Amino acid sequence: MSQPDQVTIDTNSQTGNEVEPVCDIDLNDPSLYLNRELTWLAFNRRVLNEAEVEKNPLLERVKFLAIVSRNLDEFFMKRIGGLKQQLAAGLTTTTVDGRTPQQQLIECHTVIFEIQQAQQRIYYELQTALEEAGIRITQYEALDATQQQTLREHFQQNIFPMLTPLAMDPSHPFPFISNQTLNLLVTLRFPSGYDLHMARVKVPVSKDVSPRLIQVDEDYTFVTLDNLIANNLDMLFPGMKIESCDLFRVTRNANLELDQESASDLLEAIETELRERHFAPIVRLEVSAGMNPTHRGMLAAELGLDEEQDVFEINRMMALRDMFEIATLNIPELRNPPHYPSDHPQLAHDRRNIFHIIREHGSLLLQHPYESFTTTVERFLRTAAEDPKVLAIKMTLYRTSAEGNVLDSLIKAARNGKQVAVLVELKARFDEAANIRWARRLEQAGIHVTYGVLGLKTHSKLIMVIRKDYSQLRRYYHIGTGNYHPGTARLYTDLGVLGCDEDTGKDLTELFNYLTGYSPPPSYRKILAAPYTLKQSLVEKIEREIRLHDEGHSGHIQMKMNALEDHDIVKALYKATQAGVKVDLIVRDTCRFRPGIPGLSENSSVISIVGRFLEHARIIYFLNGGDEEYFIGSADMMQRNLMQRVEVLTPVESPALRQELRLILDVQLGDKHNAWDMQSDGTYVRRIPDAGETSLNCQETLIGVVERRLDAAKKHREKRMREKLMNHFKQRLRNNQELS
């Protein structure tokens, strides 16, 4: 399917909410606010569109299809699970956009059905394109006899020992079904009998057992593991006649409430929650198309589901997230050209101690994935671990991985006798188990590990290093928008600041004391921190922009974030744009704000960027009557982030670094390739480049900017080196002349 001239995605199609132009607008009117869940689903429709765009390399299109499948799985576990909990609790209160939990659930299911229909269509389009490129996902029955025999031998040796068929009859109760696992429902009978029997076979997809897609030969031909098992059931049920075999999959609620107040040990409480999540209520059942209605009804009844609302029939490969296995095939011509992060221009050719560079040069702005995480953040931590003048390291750890040097540097620092304190956030969604492992590994190395503030999730991205510089202690720090995860640092666009500003260092000292101790400071010198100062400060700055605009200064607010959900922030922005302040919003996914409403938000715009990298950075800008303010940090404009998490925004004060942030904002606001414009009714329209236009998309543009900056720094350094050598040579000539 070719790229259409114009693509429109509706985020509010189920409501018919239209705002009439009126002079006196009630800012509490629900029609002014879009729904959180529906706008998040609309974001995934924009991502799915990338799988449809033929100009994208084929395997990149497959990747986007897999991303949407994974995102929908998480949506059911988090959002649908949460809505079902509200219904079970009898809640009927409405959201700011005027919807009850029941209304949200109905509308979400409608949109999800539409997305799944699009997924099915795109899957078959991509399957055709893959076959044309020599990549086949086929059925076992379609293979020749030799291929079938080869796979049967593979099955017998590597898969069969892992299978455990579980009978279902009066003496064998319905088996437990794990979250997100693939299962075969097999009906069979004895050759001479008439009674049907049923059994469940779990499909053992895992990196330790087998991938989902099994390669048949060297020519990129694959069959699914479940298809291979289904065609070799005679080994599992010898002598039995197989009547039917259908695939099904369940999704469980991940929103289990943790009673932190009564928990004597938070680590133990999180481990208990993870065990309970394994047995959490089921919120979705997926079944293969054509399943016997009786069997479908039996599954729904056994799993406690509403067959009409909670059962989804899949007429394609189930669990499309497994298409990542195809997307990662090493076929360069079918993928984007590889991106290799550049070194930071200030660090690339300077092998001195990084703390000397920061002290001499001032703050450095890091742009990932355009600039390397390894040679910036990891270098910062590695140097701190090895530098004998470093006395202590403090860090917040929300997500990380075994890959990279973050944990190794912290452990090395402790072994080198430095004080190391790490706040590990155990409640990082879906990374709880991993974070428990990291916490225990750090504790075993003698590191002081804490788990944050009771009742709050610590989402800030902070490192502070205390170093003895000459006769004084100096605080060096990293404040970022992304996790200390080397893998996502190559896939997400994030920002960070390395610096040693004295006031910021004092603020971070007080913040870490709060995280590991008790009482928060009443205010900070420079940083804005949730839950106590951030939201109020932002609202005050928006109100200041209105006041300055009324006094004759041009008001301008720009915000780049992942989500804009907080009612008070949206209302404050409405007041600003109604007063004539220009408001530009770059919001990746959830967005309650509606631009272009007559008499209210005509002086505003909302765009969403969907591209090769996941947009994850946060930038806040206020014109402030000409005394401009820029902030970066970890917080999105969501009620939970602003009031229920520990978040940090830091001001960016260096003129040079502000120019870099200005370039990022301008490039993204002007993008005509990856940008989608939100309309006043909440729908999105993709920008289309003008005929013959050769401008790059914003992410490619920023790749080029970073590369040119590094090249310029190299040439400047080479020029300085030549000048120094020339001056040295001239001095030697003068000395020789004087001696002669």
Side-chain angles (χ1 to χ4, degrees):
M1 178 177 177
S2 61
Q3 172 63 31
D5 292 334
Q6 186 182 67
V7 178
T8 301
I9 287 179
D10 189 352
T11 67
N12 214 32
S13 60
Q14 305 306 311
T15 68
N17 288 343
E18 296 295 337
V19 179
E20 296 296 330
V22 294
C23 297
D24 187 17
I25 296 178
D26 178 9
L27 292 182
N28 292 316
D29 183 349
S31 67
L32 298 178
Y33 302 91
L34 297 171
N35 180 261
R36 182 182 74 167
E37 324 300 358
L38 295 177
T39 56
W40 193 88
L41 287 172
F43 163 66
N44 280 278
R45 294 171 79 171
R46 298 195 291 278
V47 176
L48 186 59
N49 181 260
E50 294 298 310
E52 215 171 349
V53 177
E54 290 185 353
K55 68 178 181 181
N56 289 333
L58 180 56
L59 294 186
E60 303 298 329
R61 295 170 63 188
V62 173
K63 177 191 73 176
F64 284 114
L65 183 68
I67 287 172
V68 172
S69 177
R70 180 187 63 193
N71 287 353
L72 285 180
D73 286 346
E74 293 188 3
F75 185 81
F76 271 93
M77 287 189 281
K78 293 191 296 184
R79 305 299 193 203
I80 298 297
L83 290 172
K84 282 181 170 289
Q85 281 180 319
Q86 293 177 44
L87 283 176
L91 296 180
T92 58
T93 53
T94 60
T95 56
V96 65
D97 53 276
R99 290 173 171 85
T100 64
Q102 179 66 34
Q103 288 173 319
Q104 293 182 80
L105 198 59
I106 292 171
E107 293 183 43
C108 284
H109 276 116
T110 299
V111 175
I112 290 167
F113 177 78
E114 294 170 356
I115 293 176
Q116 289 185 326
Q117 293 296 104
Q119 279 182 302
Q120 177 177 314
R121 172 177 53 79
I122 294 170
Y123 171 76
Y124 287 119
E125 290 176 2
L126 289 177
Q127 191 174 43
T128 300
L130 286 168
E131 289 180 358
E132 292 173 355
I135 303 169
R136 297 173 59 224
I137 302 175
T138 189
Q139 298 293 309
Y140 181 88
E141 308 93 292
L143 301 175
D144 62 38
T146 301
Q147 291 172 322
Q148 288 186 1
Q149 183 59 35
T150 300
L151 280 183
R152 187 172 174 86
E153 292 172 359
H154 170 78
F155 170 80
Q156 187 171 24
Q157 295 175 9
N158 301 298
I159 308 300
F160 177 74
M162 294 299 300
L163 301 180
T164 305
L166 297 176
M168 292 184 287
D169 56 39
S171 63
H172 297 86
F174 190 82
F176 175 79
I177 309 297
S178 301
N179 184 44
Q180 302 285 285
T181 58
L182 292 167
N183 304 271
L184 294 173
L185 180 65
V186 184
T187 59
L188 60 165
R189 61 179 176 83
F190 290 98
S192 58
Y194 297 96
D195 294 336
L196 287 178
H197 303 273
M198 303 186 82
R200 171 258 194 166
V201 179
K202 182 178 178 179
V203 180
V205 178
S206 76
K207 62 180 180 180
D208 298 323
V209 179
S210 173
R212 174 75 185 286
L213 295 170
I214 298 177
Q215 193 163 354
V216 177
D217 49 37
E218 298 179 358
D219 296 327
Y220 297 120
T221 298
F222 299 87
V223 297
T224 63
L225 177 58
D226 38 289
N227 182 244
L228 175 61
I229 296 172
N231 281 276
N232 288 277
L233 289 174
D234 59 297
M235 291 190 191
L236 278 175
F237 304 102
M240 301 290 287
K241 180 173 178 56
I242 307 299
E243 294 291 339
S244 68
C245 179
D246 295 293
L247 192 65
F248 71 95
R249 179 173 181 254
V250 303
T251 304
R252 292 182 179 270
N253 186 6
N255 279 296
L256 294 184
E257 295 297 326
L258 174 68
D259 185 3
Q260 292 188 47
E261 298 291 341
S262 62
S264 59
D265 186 314
L266 184 58
L267 181 63
E268 181 180 326
I270 296 294
E271 291 179 317
T272 300
E273 179 186 348
L274 290 177
R275 288 193 296 269
E276 291 179 353
R277 185 182 293 174
H278 185 64
F279 300 97
I282 294 171
V283 296
R284 175 181 62 170
L285 168 64
E286 296 171 278
V287 300
S288 55
M291 176 182 280
N292 186 309
T294 302
H295 298 165
R296 170 181 167 141
M298 180 275 295
L299 285 176
E302 290 285 356
L303 298 171
L305 298 175
D306 181 328
E307 185 177 356
E308 185 174 337
Q309 183 183 67
D310 300 325
V311 180
F312 294 79
E313 190 170 281
I314 306 300
N315 192 23
R316 49 161 168 78
M317 175 179 162
M318 197 175 291
L320 284 176
R321 61 190 303 164
D322 292 330
M323 289 293 285
F324 277 117
E325 296 176 18
I326 296 294
T328 54
L329 290 175
N330 186 22
I331 309 177
E333 62 271 22
L334 299 182
R335 305 179 66 181
N336 283 325
H339 171 248
Y340 302 104
S342 299
D343 289 332
H344 189 283
Q346 200 64 40
L347 302 174
H349 307 291
D350 195 334
R351 300 305 172 194
R352 292 180 298 159
N353 185 307
I354 193 170
F355 301 114
H356 297 174
I357 300 172
I358 295 171
R359 189 177 64 217
E360 177 184 306
H361 180 269
S363 296
L364 307 177
L365 183 71
L366 314 179
Q367 301 181 43
H368 310 302
Y370 312 120
E371 292 172 339
S372 169
F373 181 83
T374 300
T375 59
T376 54
V377 177
E378 288 190 346
R379 177 179 172 183
F380 181 75
L381 265 178
R382 184 172 60 251
T383 305
E386 298 169 350
D387 187 342
K389 292 189 176 182
V390 168
L391 305 177
I393 302 172
K394 301 181 181 183
M395 183 177 183
T396 60
L397 204 58
Y398 191 74
R399 300 186 199 275
T400 189
S401 75
E403 175 191 4
N405 300 311
V406 171
L407 297 177
D408 291 341
S409 292
L410 292 171
I411 293 170
K412 186 174 184 179
R415 290 174 177 169
N416 286 342
K418 307 178 192 307
Q419 295 182 30
V420 183
V422 180
L423 188 146
V424 178
E425 180 48 71
L426 296 181
K427 300 184 294 296
R429 179 85 68 178
F430 303 126
D431 271 347
E432 298 95 337
N435 283 8
I436 288 173
R437 291 197 301 273
W438 309 142
R440 286 183 168 148
R441 179 180 171 190
L442 294 174
E443 285 178 328
Q444 290 168 0
I447 292 171
H448 180 64
V449 177
T450 59
Y451 306 122
V453 181
L454 194 66
L456 299 175
K457 185 179 288 189
T458 303
H459 189 250
S460 52
K461 327 296 183 186
L462 308 171
I463 303 172
M464 186 170 69
V465 173
I466 294 88
R467 186 177 188 270
K468 188 173 183 180
D469 284 3
Y470 305 110
S471 60
Q472 70 177 52
L473 294 182
R474 191 186 302 271
R475 302 172 181 90
Y476 295 86
Y477 53 80
H478 172 266
I479 303 175
T481 69
N483 299 306
Y484 294 110
H485 193 300
T488 56
R490 292 191 294 269
L491 302 174
Y492 295 6
T493 70
D494 273 305
L495 296 168
V497 170
L498 291 173
C500 60
D501 175 76
E502 185 174 356
D503 284 342
T504 302
K506 290 178 180 177
D507 285 348
L508 294 181
T509 298
E510 294 174 359
L511 178 66
F512 273 106
N513 288 343
Y514 166 51
L515 293 176
T516 58
Y518 287 101
S519 59
S523 63
Y524 295 99
R525 298 158 188 83
K526 288 189 175 180
I527 68 170
L528 307 179
Y532 295 103
T533 66
L534 177 52
K535 181 173 176 176
Q536 178 184 348
S537 298
L538 289 173
V539 171
E540 289 174 352
K541 290 177 184 297
I542 294 171
E543 292 172 345
R544 181 193 61 192
E545 206 71 17
I546 297 172
R547 186 174 65 254
L548 290 171
H549 183 81
D550 290 342
E551 293 172 358
H553 301 281
S554 296
H556 199 178
I557 300 170
Q558 294 179 322
M559 294 184 174
K560 171 178 167 56
M561 68 202 90
N562 299 331
L564 174 57
E565 179 266 345
D566 185 84
H567 176 229
D568 296 321
I569 296 294
V570 175
K571 184 184 289 189
L573 290 172
Y574 274 145
K575 290 179 180 178
T577 185
Q578 188 176 37
V581 175
K582 184 172 175 54
V583 175
D584 298 320
L585 303 175
I586 306 172
V587 187
R588 187 189 72 196
D589 49 74
T590 297
C591 182
R592 290 198 185 277
F593 185 95
R594 299 173 68 166
I597 297 175
L600 180 64
S601 57
E602 294 166 300
N603 205 31
S604 66
S605 67
V606 178
I607 69 168
S608 174
I609 302 289
V610 180
R612 174 178 182 177
F613 305 118
L614 180 72
E615 290 294 331
H616 194 253
R618 292 93 168 180
I619 307 172
I620 308 295
Y621 167 78
F622 298 98
L623 180 56
N624 190 26
D627 186 14
E628 299 174 301
E629 289 184 336
Y630 288 85
F631 294 86
I632 69 165
S634 59
D636 285 311
M637 299 300 106
M638 302 186 73
Q639 198 273 339
R640 71 183 188 197
N641 295 71
L642 299 175
M643 301 306 296
Q644 299 163 10
R645 292 187 175 188
V646 178
E647 306 271 14
V648 170
L649 293 183
T650 184
V652 177
E653 299 173 321
S654 162
L657 303 193
R658 288 181 171 194
Q659 287 180 3
E660 294 184 40
L661 293 178
R662 171 48 46 204
L663 178 64
I664 293 172
L665 290 172
D666 288 346
V667 166
Q668 292 213 329
L669 288 167
D671 182 273
K672 291 188 178 180
H673 294 261
N674 290 346
W676 295 72
D677 286 304
M678 184 194 280
Q679 309 302 297
S680 61
D681 62 355
T683 60
Y684 282 84
V685 176
R686 183 167 190 160
R687 292 181 183 174
I688 304 296
D690 297 333
E693 189 173 4
T694 58
S695 61
L696 297 175
N697 69 53
C698 60
Q699 295 182 350
E700 290 175 349
T701 298
L702 292 172
I703 289 174
V705 167
V706 167
E707 291 175 345
R708 289 192 296 273
R709 188 183 295 133
L710 178 62
D711 187 55
K714 179 181 178 182
K715 291 178 179 177
H716 178 67
R717 182 173 177 82
E718 290 174 347
K719 180 181 178 182
R720 288 183 59 192
M721 186 64 71
R722 286 194 298 269
E723 290 174 350
K724 289 177 68 175
L725 290 172
M726 186 60 68
N727 291 336
H728 178 70
F729 179 68
K730 290 178 179 178
Q731 186 61 46
R732 289 184 60 185
L733 283 178
R734 284 194 293 269
N735 293 342
N736 290 336
Q737 289 171 355
E738 290 173 0
L739 290 174
S740 61

